[in-house]
Amino acid sequence: MSAREIRLFGDPVLKTVSDPVTEIDDRIRGLVEDLLDSVRLPGRAGVAASQIGVNLRAFSYNVDGKVGYILNPTLVELSGEPELVDEGCLSVPGLWFPTLRHPFARATGIDLDGNDIEVSGTGVMAQALQHETDHLDGLLYLDRLDKPARREAMKQVRESDWF
């Protein structure tokens, strides 16, 4: 398998709620391989299946040397007072805006063997779990910005060379 091209803002798959993984087969194993290969590239903390054009609930993460994936993730715990953290997105390249995120997050889901798994963390891991789960719900971090910041973000998107 291989790293896959990241879909950019404006692609309808990024605004679509992802379907659950219902059967673990070779197609899903290949998807996980592609997600892991895609997240291992420098500067990447997470890649959602929708970002590589697949409308299924799966994402990979690469935080502090810990690389993994989760199928059918659900955020089961968010704790701590939400705080503004600088956030960017591979699907909105070059833009960074302060985004409200909880300092701790815990997600549950399954692995390729159908076993229950849990991923949790603080800092960048908490941010990645929230960010990637948002992708699977058809949200971009831009959707979480307050009106003035969103207006500025949309202006920068329109002026970008990739849009």
Side-chain angles (χ1 to χ4, degrees), residues 24-42:
I24 297 172
D25 54 16
D26 287 343
R27 185 177 68 111
I28 299 302
R29 284 186 267 289
L31 170 63
V32 168
E33 280 186 50
D34 287 352
L35 285 168
L36 291 171
D37 288 346
S38 297
V39 82
R40 284 189 175 104
L41 296 176

Side-chain angles (χ1 to χ4, degrees), residues 86-152:
D86 282 338
E87 192 159 319
C89 180
L90 298 171
S91 295
V92 191
L95 275 66
W96 291 82
F97 285 90
T99 306
L100 274 177
R101 295 290 185 190
H102 291 271
F104 176 83
R106 182 166 57 100
T108 59
I110 59 171
D111 65 14
L112 284 172
D113 296 319
N115 298 317
D116 291 337
I117 59 173
E118 179 180 295
V119 180
S120 63
T122 60
V124 174
M125 180 60 87
Q127 186 178 3
L129 293 173
Q130 293 168 80
H131 181 104
E132 301 310 325
T133 302
D134 274 355
H135 273 302
L136 303 180
D137 292 334
L139 297 171
L140 293 168
Y141 85 101
L142 301 179
D143 297 317
R144 295 202 174 272
L145 301 178
D146 64 26
K147 282 190 177 192
R150 183 165 166 74
R151 193 171 12 260
E152 177 58 28

